[in-house]
Amino acid sequence: MAEELNRKVIVALDVEGREQALSLARELSGSGCWVKVGLELYACAGLGIIQDLKDLGLKIFLDLKLHDIPNTVARTVKALAGTGVDMLNVHCSGGYEMMARAAENAREAGVKTGFVPQLIGVTVLTSMTANELAQDLGVGGELEDHVVRLALLAKRAGLDGVVASAQEAPVLRQECGQDFLLVTPGIRPAWSTTDDQARIVTPRAAIAAGSSYLVVGRPVTRAANPRAALDRLWEE
Ligand code: C5P
């Protein structure tokens, strides 16, 4: 049962270097979970880490949150898709054209490798509060409406799903349908600390809300025994 639930967990390998990442990945391999390579690990270890993680049999979400002009993002997506990652992402706020070209290039890369990675759009970062969105960024209206607007744009552009808070998962399920992937960070089991996340949800509540994948970082990676912490996610 835990292994089945673990298949919905993407552990964020937010560590300083290759050795630390691989030691964590070795502990997690065989548990069913995916791993996520984010900006920090990419900056420290480079793209070579992808093959190392694939060799451990892990599924990989490359979370670089691309955001640039359509041509640059599309060409970068093509290059990254060729590494064999299972999922990668762009910021929805880059706009329709950027996302559509990225999706097209992911598919084109797949023709060569025989495998098309899932392309996901980042809506509003889970560390951002409604106040910050409205006052600092000047985005009017409700935060949830903005998330839905970005998700529908991503869907229209041909993306496979979005990253959003699990708090927004019910409305996204309703608006974007059953097949649209909802990848939700900001997951905090009752036994862990909140850190810098603002819009948090517990693991089981996130699944119940309609999340397809839960992104979990520090509650697992900073635990004395990460593998045990992974299984403990489901104790509530
Ligand atoms: O340690 P924690 O569980 O907060 O890690 C969450 C991970 O999810 C981090 O790697 C962060 O970059 C990522 N993330 C997020 N909010 C988003 C998109 C990604 O927290 N909207």
Side-chain angles (χ1 to χ4, degrees), residues 12 14 36 63 65 122 124-127 163 185-188 195-197 215-219:
D14 295 331
K36 179 170 90 67
D63 178 24
K65 301 187 178 72
V122 178
V124 176
L125 296 174
T126 47
S127 54
V163 183
I187 302 295
R188 287 294 179 271
D195 306 307
D196 56 352
Q197 294 286 12
V215 176
V216 186
R218 289 161 287 185

Side-chain angles (χ1 to χ4, degrees), residues 3 10 13 24 40 46 51 58-59 61 66 99 111 113 118 121 126 138 142 144 146 160 182 187 194-195 220 223:
E3 193 179 326
I10 304 177
L13 299 179
L24 250 174
E40 182 184 5
Q51 192 55 50
L58 289 156
K59 287 202 158 197
F61 173 21
L66 304 177
M99 288 192 280
V111 171
T113 60
Q118 286 158 337
T126 47
E142 295 293 319
E144 190 176 276
H146 189 56
D160 298 295
L182 301 179
I187 302 295
T194 310
D195 306 307
V220 170

Side-chain angles (χ1 to χ4, degrees), residues 1 4-5 13 55 70 92 118 121 130-131 147 173 216-217 219 228 234:
M1 181 61 183
E4 208 163 297
L5 287 167
L13 299 179
D55 290 344
C92 296
Q118 286 158 337
N131 252 350
V147 170
R173 259 289 151 257
V216 186
W234 312 111

